[in-house]
C-alpha cells in the first residue's frame, strides 16, 4: 500500500526470474527461484501486461480505469492488494 510520499513514486516491474506464457487467453507465470506457478485472472493479466515497463501505482490504475468499469477507489484497492501479493510471491519488484 502507498503510505508515504516516497511510496507514491515507487515503480513496480516484473521480476527477471519469472517466465510468462499465455494459455487459453490467460497468463501463466512461473517464478523460478520459488517454484511458484500462477495463472492470472483477467484483471491480474491486465496488471501484468501493464508492467512491460516499470509503472507507478497511479499509472497502473489509470490503465485499468480506462479498460474497466470500476471506481477509482475500488481500482486502487484491488491493484494495491494484487501488487502486495505479487511482491510476496516475488513475481514483481
Amino acid at each position: 500500500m502507498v503510505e508515504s510520499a516516497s511510496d507514491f513514486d515507487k515503480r513496480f516491474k516484473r521480476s527477471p526470474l519469472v517466465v510468462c506464457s499465455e494459455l487459453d487467453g490467460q497468463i501463466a507465470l512461473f517464478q523460478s527461484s520459488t517454484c511458484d506457478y500462477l495463472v492470472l485472472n483477467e484483471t491480474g493479466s491486465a496488471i501484468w501486461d501493464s508492467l512491460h515497463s516499470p509503472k507507478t501505482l497511479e499509472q497502473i490504475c489509470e490503465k485499468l480505469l480506462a479498460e474497466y468499469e470500476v471506481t477509482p477507489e475500488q481500482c486502487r484497492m484491488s491493484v494495491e492488494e494484487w501488487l502486495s501479493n505479487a511482491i510476496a510471491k516475488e513475481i514483481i519488484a
Side-chain angles (χ1 to χ4, degrees):
M1 297 180 118
V2 176
E3 297 177 4
S4 69
S6 63
D7 286 341
F8 186 78
D9 294 329
K10 183 184 288 186
R11 293 190 178 271
F12 300 93
K13 65 180 184 175
R14 297 175 181 180
S15 168
L17 300 174
V18 174
V19 177
C20 159
S21 180
E22 187 174 326
L23 300 170
D24 295 329
Q26 294 182 314
I27 294 179
L29 306 176
F30 178 73
Q31 208 297 356
S32 60
S33 69
T34 63
C35 295
D36 280 333
Y37 177 79
L38 306 158
V39 177
L40 304 179
N41 64 16
E42 183 180 350
T43 306
S45 295
I47 295 169
W48 179 260
D49 284 341
S50 74
L51 294 174
H52 59 85
S53 62
K55 298 275 188 299
T56 65
L57 172 63
E58 296 304 317
Q59 290 170 322
I60 297 167
C61 287
E62 284 174 16
K63 180 184 184 305
L64 294 177
L65 286 169
E67 292 181 28
Y68 298 96
E69 291 185 29
V70 62
T71 67
E73 295 79 20
Q74 290 172 323
C75 183
R76 184 180 186 89
M77 190 170 66
S78 293
V79 171
E80 285 179 340
E81 182 180 349
W82 191 93
L83 292 172
S84 178
N85 289 331
I87 289 168
K89 294 189 178 293
E90 299 177 25
I91 61 171
I92 65 167

